[in-house]
Amino acid sequence: ASSVSASIAAARKVEAQKPHGDVDFLMEQQWRVDFGLAPVVKSTVRASVVVNARVRPASDAEARVTAPVAGRIVAEEGGMPSVGETVEAGQILARIVPRLAAGEVSRMRAGATQAGLTLKRAKQERDRVAGLVEQGALPRRRLVDADHAVAMAQSASSQARTSLGQYQSMESSSGRGTVVVRAPVSGVVAHRRVVDGAYVENGQKLIHIVDRNRLWLEAQVPESSLDRMGDPTGAWFELPDGSDTHEIGEGRVVAFGQVVDPTTRTVPLIFALDNPPESLRVGAFVSAHVLTGEPREAFVVPTKARLEEEGTFVVFVMKSGESFERRNVQLGVQDRGYV
């Protein structure tokens, strides 16, 4: 316990004899504020570049279901799925009593054929790039971009085939001549834009489905940071509610763009998220720490322990139960809540 001086003059004399930077923080004061202690430890840290990022579904993990034909919505028993409701791939969402124009089915068939050809060309290009990457003639990033192009073409082809397959006659008299609208993917209903019995036009948006178990983190890397980026090995970010950090493991880079956006002066960098927590919502914006260097050992303290005073960073080191020393520090790498 701290000693009590006999007078104000004696207290001032004791205070003057203390080393510069020492601060008394009595137990009674500690109990009344949000206060904590943490040891200085040696830990593995990794250099990173902080960029803005957004959580979005993978290219094949969402579907914006549109009306394949013009007509009137006829809901299944229980109505169309509501926002937040889980649906399975292939599940009937609604039926449409069609108002088909001449040649509509032919156009759907042509669209499906064209999408299939685009997918075939994307796969051929990926195989060509893969061979050149193995020979060292192209950087590995080109293969990542080619894989991304195949995934996008696969999604478009699947959507076209689904639209074509939705046009079929039902066996029962009540369903004869209707177009079945099915869920292309499993997931939750993010938006529903029509009501039962409504009239819709061909191509009108009906339902947006998202599979939140397969999410991407799309970061926008500023042009000024590209020279420090190199080949990203992973990333981490704090959850929007501040409860924890989420780490993206090595080898989860989906794509790293090769063209700088002329408006934003940024390049997209996409990571696949491992086991996204329930609190992470699609569309959320976060500050992502993209890992850029090899891990190294360093002394670290919690990020919350460092305070900024007029441009200088300080920490308070406990010398005894109620005595602390104010020390200026020079910060290094910040990694997963520590610095």
Side-chain angles (χ1 to χ4, degrees), residues 285-326:
F285 285 91
V286 299
S287 291
H289 297 250
V290 181
L291 304 178
T292 60
E294 295 296 327
R296 61 187 180 87
E297 293 290 317
F299 288 106
V300 299
V301 298
T303 305
K304 296 179 179 179
R306 58 106 171 95
L307 304 175
E308 186 175 5
E309 297 181 357
E310 299 180 352
T312 301
F313 289 100
V314 301
V315 296
F316 287 88
V317 180
M318 185 176 71
K319 300 176 67 177
S320 65
E322 296 181 330
S323 178
F324 294 80
E325 180 184 349
R326 177 185 180 278

Side-chain angles (χ1 to χ4, degrees), residues 140-151 254-258:
R140 184 159 295 276
R141 289 182 186 175
R142 289 289 300 275
L143 180 58
V144 174
D145 290 342
D147 286 335
H148 180 57
V150 170
V254 176
F256 194 3
Q258 299 296 306

Side-chain angles (χ1 to χ4, degrees), residues 66-140:
T66 59
V69 296
R72 181 172 58 86
I73 293 288
V74 179
E76 293 288 279
E77 183 178 355
M80 296 180 68
S82 302
V83 172
E85 187 174 338
T86 301
V87 297
E88 298 295 330
Q91 178 179 332
I92 298 177
L93 304 176
R95 303 178 193 272
I96 299 178
V97 178
R99 192 171 65 243
L100 279 179
E104 190 74 28
V105 176
S106 297
R107 282 193 290 272
M108 286 191 289
R109 288 197 181 99
T113 301
Q114 181 60 44
L117 291 174
T118 302
L119 174 60
K120 182 179 179 180
R121 286 195 296 268
K123 289 181 176 179
Q124 290 172 342
E125 175 64 11
R126 181 189 58 185
D127 293 341
R128 185 186 72 84
V129 170
L132 293 175
V133 169
E134 289 181 3
Q135 297 172 15
L138 288 177
R140 184 159 295 276

Side-chain angles (χ1 to χ4, degrees), residues 237-304:
F237 61 92
E238 291 185 0
L239 298 182
D241 59 5
S243 61
D244 200 0
T245 60
H246 186 80
E247 187 162 348
I248 302 173
E250 186 175 355
R252 303 301 289 165
V253 176
V254 176
F256 194 3
Q258 299 296 306
V259 179
V260 177
D261 187 285
T263 302
T264 64
R265 309 308 302 176
T266 60
V267 172
L269 171 60
I270 301 176
F271 293 96
L273 293 180
D274 303 303
N275 303 315
E278 290 293 332
S279 61
L280 188 62
R281 298 186 180 277
V282 176
F285 285 91
V286 299
S287 291
H289 297 250
V290 181
L291 304 178
T292 60
E294 295 296 327
R296 61 187 180 87
E297 293 290 317
F299 288 106
V300 299
V301 298
T303 305
K304 296 179 179 179

Side-chain angles (χ1 to χ4, degrees), residues 66-69 100 103-114 156-169 178-180 182:
T66 59
V69 296
L100 279 179
E104 190 74 28
V105 176
S106 297
R107 282 193 290 272
M108 286 191 289
R109 288 197 181 99
T113 301
Q114 181 60 44
S157 178
S158 176
Q159 290 274 12
R161 291 197 308 271
T162 299
S163 296
L164 181 61
Q166 284 171 334
Y167 185 72
Q168 57 181 358
S169 296
T178 62
V179 176
V180 178
R182 298 181 184 272

